[in-house]
Amino acid sequence: MSGSEDRKLILALDVYERERALEIAECTADYLWAVKVNWPLIVGSGLSIITELKQVTGLPIIADLKLADIPNTNRLIASKVFEAGADYIIAHGFPGSDSVGAVMELGKTIIVVEMSHPGAKEFIQPATDKLIELANELEPFGVIAPATRPERVSYIRSKLKPGIKILTPGVGAQGGRAGEVLKAGADYIIVGRSIYASENPRESARMLYEETLGV
Ligand code: 3DU
């Protein structure tokens, strides 16, 4: 098995309960690059879950807060979340460079440039070119792009500065396919329900991990 830094699978741990979250994270950790925590787990278990997940898995933790506020509020939230042990925070790009910059001053940041659901076509997709420009200017750790639309991942890759990573949610439950989106230029796939809601999360994570090998 590869070292965790070479892996391409991120677990989206969207459960409410602390015990369940820790159990799933622990049993899948061997196959993951990182664990992503979103609002469901934070509102269900509190911010300290970030610290606990880090201790239990030893993996990077991504806080998917999709921050979208004025710089001061983004800063107030992000500082507590980085303090809790988050290694990366996901922020929306549309509030502008000052709002994203406030997060970037505090730690590694991932900017949403497009989303994976059908409604993303209404407002976000028409703004994607501008959001890519913002990312190229600010040079965050990475951007979020849709695994449900591999052709958009190729497009985003072609416009994005080479060092900026592409993280893609939407594999599995939303219909995206791991191999396809990695071939299109994604660096990491983000998978939630196909792992945590399956009968055997460890085995589901193993199978997805196998799919990412050699792509
Ligand atoms: O559909 P899944 O259960 O595999 O979960 C996907 C996760 O990624 C979930 O936390 C969701 O909030 C997040 N996400 C998207 O699905 C799509 C985006 O564009 C951005 C984040």
Side-chain angles (χ1 to χ4, degrees):
M1 192 179 299
S2 61
S4 58
E5 62 285 350
D6 297 327
R7 298 180 204 144
K8 297 173 181 169
L9 178 60
I10 298 168
L11 171 64
L13 197 47
D14 297 330
V15 300
Y16 292 126
E17 309 83 7
R18 173 184 169 274
E19 287 74 20
R20 189 166 165 230
L22 292 172
E23 205 174 292
I24 295 167
E26 201 171 1
C27 81
T28 55
D30 286 343
Y31 303 110
L32 308 177
W33 171 67
V35 176
K36 185 175 81 64
V37 171
N38 199 337
W39 288 109
L41 184 54
I42 296 175
V43 297
S45 299
L47 198 55
S48 56
I49 192 69
I50 290 178
T51 323
E52 286 191 282
L53 281 168
K54 228 174 136 68
Q55 281 162 359
V56 164
T57 63
L59 297 174
I61 306 295
I62 301 171
D64 184 2
L65 305 173
K66 295 196 186 67
L67 289 179
D69 218 312
I70 58 168
N72 188 58
T73 309
N74 271 4
R75 190 178 300 115
L76 288 170
I77 299 168
S79 65
K80 283 288 177 198
V81 173
F82 280 128
E83 212 175 281
D87 298 277
Y88 304 86
I89 289 181
I90 300 180
H92 267 301
F94 65 77
S97 54
D98 51 353
S99 291
V100 179
V103 183
M104 287 188 66
E105 275 170 21
L106 298 171
K108 288 180 271 188
T109 306
I110 298 161
I111 302 177
V112 180
V113 299
E114 194 164 323
M115 294 185 76
S116 61
H117 60 310
K121 289 194 172 170
E122 295 170 21
F123 300 108
I124 288 241
Q125 202 184 80
T128 295
D129 283 349
K130 288 265 188 203
L131 293 167
I132 295 169
E133 273 175 38
L134 176 79
N136 284 339
E137 189 188 308
L138 297 180
E139 301 193 15
F141 169 79
V143 300
I144 295 288
T148 47
R149 300 187 193 95
E151 74 288 356
R152 294 294 297 166
V153 174
S154 303
Y155 176 77
I156 291 164
R157 180 75 281 168
S158 74
K159 301 277 174 191
L160 200 63
K161 277 192 183 164
I164 303 173
K165 307 282 187 202
I166 299 184
L167 296 82
T168 55
V171 168
Q174 297 181 54
R177 301 229 291 267
E180 211 177 325
V181 74
L182 288 166
K183 275 194 203 106
D187 296 285
Y188 300 100
I189 53 164
I190 298 175
V191 185
R193 286 164 285 181
S194 296
I195 296 175
Y196 71 74
S198 80
E199 270 184 27
N200 185 339
R202 182 175 168 86
E203 181 56 13
S204 302
R206 190 192 64 75
M207 280 161 53
L208 278 153
Y209 163 79
E210 299 282 341
E211 261 187 82
T212 67
L213 295 178
V215 181

